[in-house]
């Protein structure tokens, strides 16, 4: 039970291995409601929909807080984090989850401060390895998100004030 609990907790944080982008979610033909996949743990609309809708998950369906409705007239694009079975995730994630679950089990059943310290050290090493794996496979850069990139892309102060391009 603890292993399943930790597996869900870790994967709910949305890692590169369990997240898909530009997933098209379409309303059901009969009810015009969007039922989420059973293994979806997190859904966030892509920027193309951000200004027109503000959605949250309610009862495994999408709810539009701006329209105060479960009804959708068109498809939307979203980023979806999925929950996978323990055996279907990468080794680094399995190792971290197993070590963390073992520490939690030890804390709940035995309660030894010495064992907690040893297990915590192993857990932190496994988390570090998982984050390194995430960085290697995710290829994250500041250019993935314009909100971050605009700091670099802002141009010179003179060009912003005068409305002209700066000369090299």
């Amino acid at each position: 039970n603890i292993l399943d609990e930790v597996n869900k907790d870790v994967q709910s944080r949305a890692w590169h291995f369990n997240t898909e982008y530009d997933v098209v979610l379409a309303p059901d033909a009969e009810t015009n409601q969007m039922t989420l996949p059973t293994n979806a743990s997190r859904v966030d609309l892509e920027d193309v929909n951000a200004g027109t809708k503000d959605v949250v998950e309610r009862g495994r369906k999408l709810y539009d807080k701006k329209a105060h409705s479960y009804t959708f007239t068109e498809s939307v694009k979203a980023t979806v984090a999925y929950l996978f079975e323990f055996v279907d995730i990468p080794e680094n994630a399995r190792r971290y989850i197993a070590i963390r679950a073992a520490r939690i089990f030890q804390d709940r059943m035995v309660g030894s401060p010495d064992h907690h310290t040893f297990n915590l050290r192993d857990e932190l090493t496994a988390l570090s390895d998982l984050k390194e794996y995430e960085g290697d496979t995710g290829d994250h850069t500041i250019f993935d998100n314009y909100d971050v990139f605009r700091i670099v892309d802002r141009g010179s102060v003179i060009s912003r004030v005068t409305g002209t391009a700066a000369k090299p």
Side-chain angles (χ1 to χ4, degrees):
N1 288 338
I2 294 172
L3 185 65
D4 287 340
E5 172 188 322
V6 173
N7 185 35
K8 287 179 183 176
D9 181 50
V10 170
Q11 288 193 55
S12 292
R13 295 190 179 139
W15 300 85
H16 179 67
F17 68 83
N18 70 335
T19 303
E20 292 186 24
Y21 303 93
D22 293 326
V23 175
V24 176
L25 300 174
D28 179 282
E30 293 177 25
T31 63
N32 286 334
Q33 296 180 350
M34 291 193 197
T35 303
L36 298 174
T38 56
N39 66 336
S41 68
R42 180 183 286 192
V43 176
D44 185 33
L45 290 189
E46 297 289 346
D47 290 340
V48 70
N49 307 114
T52 59
K53 295 174 179 35
D54 181 17
V55 300
V56 295
E57 176 188 340
R58 289 189 182 165
R60 301 304 302 160
K61 296 177 187 171
L62 283 186
Y63 177 78
D64 187 349
K65 291 172 66 174
K66 283 189 176 182
H68 307 287
S69 173
Y70 288 97
T71 304
F72 291 83
T73 57
E74 57 190 23
S75 299
V76 295
K77 285 189 175 183
T79 299
V80 180
Y82 295 97
L83 292 174
F84 295 118
E85 294 294 325
F86 182 77
V87 296
D88 294 333
I89 61 177
E91 174 60 31
N92 291 33
R94 284 195 310 262
R95 178 169 168 72
Y96 170 65
I97 290 166
I99 291 172
R100 183 172 167 199
R103 181 194 49 82
I104 291 170
F105 177 80
Q106 187 281 135
D107 288 349
R108 291 179 185 172
M109 299 303 170
V110 180
S112 167
D114 292 335
H115 287 129
H116 173 84
T117 302
F118 293 134
N119 289 336
L120 186 59
R121 191 174 334 150
D122 290 342
E123 181 182 336
L124 292 175
T125 301
L127 178 58
S128 176
D129 291 343
L130 176 57
K131 287 182 177 181
E132 183 178 343
Y133 174 82
E134 172 76 5
D136 290 346
T137 61
D139 300 324
H140 303 293
T141 72
I142 65 167
F143 304 108
D144 291 343
N145 185 332
Y146 186 73
D147 292 341
V148 176
F149 174 67
R150 71 179 171 189
I151 304 297
V152 177
D153 191 39
R154 64 182 176 212
S156 74
V157 174
I158 295 170
S159 64
R160 286 196 312 261
V161 171
T162 64
T164 61
K167 295 180 182 176

